[in-house]
């Protein structure tokens, strides 16, 4: 190898090393992509980060987007998605399987005559029978399906009164924080995995998201 070739090899080698270091530092510790806004991902999948955890995001719109992504961890959890299906049958289980025994939503999302939801689902969990229960047990209207949605499409739906049950943003906060059927997601009974955090923490995230402008995350964003 002549002197010119050696020099070229040294330059290329240094460039590759520099690129590798640049990628490593831009990805954060361990080579993993840094979390948007400098907010670390949750250490425990069953917990929620409070609104204060996002205070370091200076851009108000970005902070609002980050808050919604955190709240979406609840809404896209099986405890919630199973009652917001695409089709006419509720889902069940951690894998969102079709309800067994077979049932259908009926004209008012409460089952069909003779087999209403409340025929089996009472106002509280039936521990021995392992049948979940809460006041006014029913499916969400078909237009309010969450199954298969991205956080962004879910956010856009929640802001649309035609697809959110006719609720204002203030009513969404109240519904999230205090509705008893929503609250069942954190006390599902039997061996079901509850939604992350608590209902109060979820309501606080929704309220903070609205306060900061109710911005929707980018399509590719995930919590």
């Amino acid at each position: 190898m002549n002197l010119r070739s050696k020099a070229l090899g040294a330059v290329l080698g240094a460039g590759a090393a520099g690129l590798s270091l640049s990628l490593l530092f831009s990805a954060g510790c361990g080579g993993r992509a840094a979390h948007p806004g400098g907010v670390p991902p949750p250490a425990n999948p069953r917990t929620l980060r409070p609104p204060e955890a996002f205070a370091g995001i200076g851009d108000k719109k970005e902070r609002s987007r980050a808050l919604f992504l955190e709240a979406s961890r609840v809404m896209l959890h099986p405890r919630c998605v199973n009652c917001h299906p695409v089709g006419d049958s509720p889902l069940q289980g951690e894998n969102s399987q079709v309800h067994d025994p077979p049932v259908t939503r009926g004209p008012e999302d409460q089952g069909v005559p003779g087999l209403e939801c409340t025929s089996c689902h009472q106002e509280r969990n039936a521990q021995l029978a392992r049948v979940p229960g809460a006041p006014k047990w029913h499916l969400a209207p078909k237009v309010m399906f969450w199954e298969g949605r991205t956080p962004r499409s879910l956010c856009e739906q929640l802001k649309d009164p035609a697809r959110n049950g006719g609720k204002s943003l203030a009513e969404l906060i109240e519904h999230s924080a205090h509705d008893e059927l929503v609250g069942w997601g954190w006390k599902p009974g039997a061996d079901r995995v509850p939604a992350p955090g608590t209902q109060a923490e979820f309501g606080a995230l929704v309220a903070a998201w609205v306060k900061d402008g109710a911005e929707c995350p980018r399509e590719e964003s995930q919590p």
Side-chain angles (χ1 to χ4, degrees):
M1 181 182 291
N2 58 35
L3 183 60
R4 183 178 179 182
S5 296
K6 288 181 179 179
L8 179 59
V11 170
L12 292 175
L19 178 59
S20 297
L21 286 172
S22 175
L23 289 172
L24 178 63
F25 284 116
S26 65
C29 296
R32 298 171 60 188
H35 204 267
V39 180
N44 185 340
R46 294 197 181 187
T47 64
L48 285 175
R49 290 166 293 187
E52 295 76 21
F54 301 86
I57 303 177
D59 186 296
K60 189 175 181 179
K61 290 184 177 181
E62 290 299 323
R63 186 168 63 247
S64 182
R65 294 181 181 114
L67 286 161
F68 186 85
L69 282 176
E70 185 70 3
S72 75
R73 295 178 52 225
V74 170
M75 292 178 274
L76 296 178
H77 188 278
R79 294 291 78 77
C80 296
V81 170
N82 287 354
C83 289
H84 287 257
V86 172
D88 289 325
S89 295
L91 307 174
Q92 61 185 184
E94 306 311 310
N95 298 322
S96 296
Q97 301 169 344
V98 176
H99 193 286
D100 184 24
V103 294
T104 188
R105 67 168 63 247
E108 297 182 0
D109 307 307
Q110 299 176 17
V112 295
L115 192 56
E116 291 88 355
C117 299
T118 53
S119 298
C120 297
H121 299 277
Q122 307 304 309
E123 293 197 352
R124 60 182 60 86
N125 295 327
Q127 297 296 345
L128 293 179
R130 298 187 71 260
V131 177
K136 301 179 182 178
W137 192 274
H138 65 280
L139 275 178
K142 201 167 185 177
V143 71
M144 294 169 61
F145 80 87
W146 293 357
E147 182 187 1
R149 287 204 177 278
T150 63
R152 178 178 179 85
S153 64
L154 174 59
C155 176
E156 292 172 340
Q157 178 188 30
L158 288 177
K159 292 168 61 175
D160 181 0
R163 296 185 293 156
N164 75 2
K167 291 180 173 59
S168 65
L169 291 177
E171 290 170 330
L172 278 178
I173 296 172
E174 174 65 21
H175 178 72
S176 301
H178 299 113
D179 185 89
E180 290 184 281
L181 185 53
V182 172
W184 174 86
W186 289 274
K187 48 183 179 182
D191 56 355
R192 302 176 188 90
V193 177
T198 67
Q199 185 172 18
E201 291 169 343
F202 174 59
L205 283 167
V206 174
W209 164 64
V210 171
K211 181 180 178 181
D212 281 344
E215 296 289 334
C216 290
R218 295 173 180 81
E219 185 58 44
E220 69 277 7
S221 298
Q222 295 295 326

